[in-house]
């Protein structure tokens, strides 16, 4: 349990807590989780419905930082969740980022009795006029069945 807490503390310190007030431009986005494509898990539930939220805390040039959290149904229709910090490289037409955080998933019981593990998920985002579409890549770290792409729709909720 000490390792995941240490990971969260390091992420918090790396977010630039000492940032200048004028640098902060908070923006909130609601996540609508939906379809996931499993590459190596035939018969797995691909409809991972859920909700989440992103809170952008800082933008420096093309780099954006945000806190994120989601609750969703996993491939076996059981509740799962994650919370973490993301670093995003933004251009006018697309964004690429990495979400580092802590995930609760019932399948993590073999690795941790509390079903918690640190995660690092790369993603691509396509900003559109009224919403954005994001695709996360889940690499096959624990097993081949982890290999998947998860899609979200992000809706601006707080400006």
């Amino acid at each position: 349990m000490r390792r995941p807490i240490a990971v969260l503390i390091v992420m918090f310190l790396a977010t630039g807590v000492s940032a200048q007030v004028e640098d902060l431009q908070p923006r909130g986005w609601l996540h609508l989780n939906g379809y996931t494509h499993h590459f190596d898990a035939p018969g797995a539930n691909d409809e991972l419905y859920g909700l989440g939220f992103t809170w952008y805390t800082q933008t420096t040039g093309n780099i954006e930082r945000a806190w994120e959290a989601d609750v969703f149904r996993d491939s076996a229709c059981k509740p799962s969740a994650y919370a973490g910090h993301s670093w995003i490289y933004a251009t006018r037409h697309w964004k690429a980022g990495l979400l580092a955080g802590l995930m609760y998933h019932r399948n993590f019981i073999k690795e941790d009795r509390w079903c918690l593990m640190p995660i690092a998920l790369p993603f691509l985002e396509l900003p559109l006029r009224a919403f954005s579409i994001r695709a996360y890549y889940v690499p096959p770290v624990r097993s081949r069945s982890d290999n998947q792409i998860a899609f979200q729709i992000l809706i601006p909720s707080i400006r």
Side-chain angles (χ1 to χ4, degrees):
M1 182 64 180
R2 291 182 185 148
R3 202 173 333 161
I5 292 173
V7 169
L8 287 177
I9 290 170
V10 169
M11 288 185 327
F12 179 75
L13 294 174
T15 61
V17 174
S18 62
Q20 299 293 328
V21 174
E22 59 268 15
D23 292 340
L24 299 178
Q25 298 174 355
R27 294 179 290 159
W29 291 74
L30 178 67
H31 302 181
L32 302 176
N33 302 327
Y35 180 76
T36 298
H37 176 73
H38 294 82
F39 293 104
D40 294 314
N45 174 36
D46 284 334
E47 297 172 358
L48 305 183
Y49 298 121
L51 291 173
F53 196 74
T54 295
W55 185 258
Y56 285 92
T57 56
Q58 186 176 14
T59 301
T60 307
N62 289 11
I63 305 298
E64 299 174 344
R65 297 179 185 177
W67 288 102
E68 306 203 28
D70 268 284
V71 176
F72 58 95
R73 290 185 336 168
D74 68 9
S75 303
C77 298
K78 303 292 183 187
S80 292
Y82 68 81
H85 192 77
S86 60
W87 293 265
I88 301 119
Y89 178 78
T91 70
R92 224 166 79 188
H93 303 291
W94 55 270
K95 296 181 179 185
L98 179 73
L99 169 71
L102 197 58
M103 179 180 271
Y104 166 81
H105 193 291
R106 65 175 180 76
N107 287 348
F108 294 164
I109 191 75
K110 294 176 187 174
E111 291 82 18
D112 179 69
R113 64 180 165 172
W114 291 289
C115 301
L116 294 171
M117 286 190 64
I119 58 167
L121 303 175
F123 62 86
L124 289 174
E125 188 174 320
L126 179 62
L128 303 171
R129 286 188 180 176
F131 61 93
S132 292
I133 298 172
R134 184 181 282 184
Y136 283 100
Y137 175 63
V138 182
V141 174
R142 293 178 321 115
S143 69
R144 285 184 42 204
S145 64
D146 288 344
N147 193 18
Q148 57 191 280
I149 294 178
F151 295 95
Q152 290 179 330
I153 294 175
L154 281 70
I155 301 169
S157 57
I158 299 174
R159 295 249 178 215

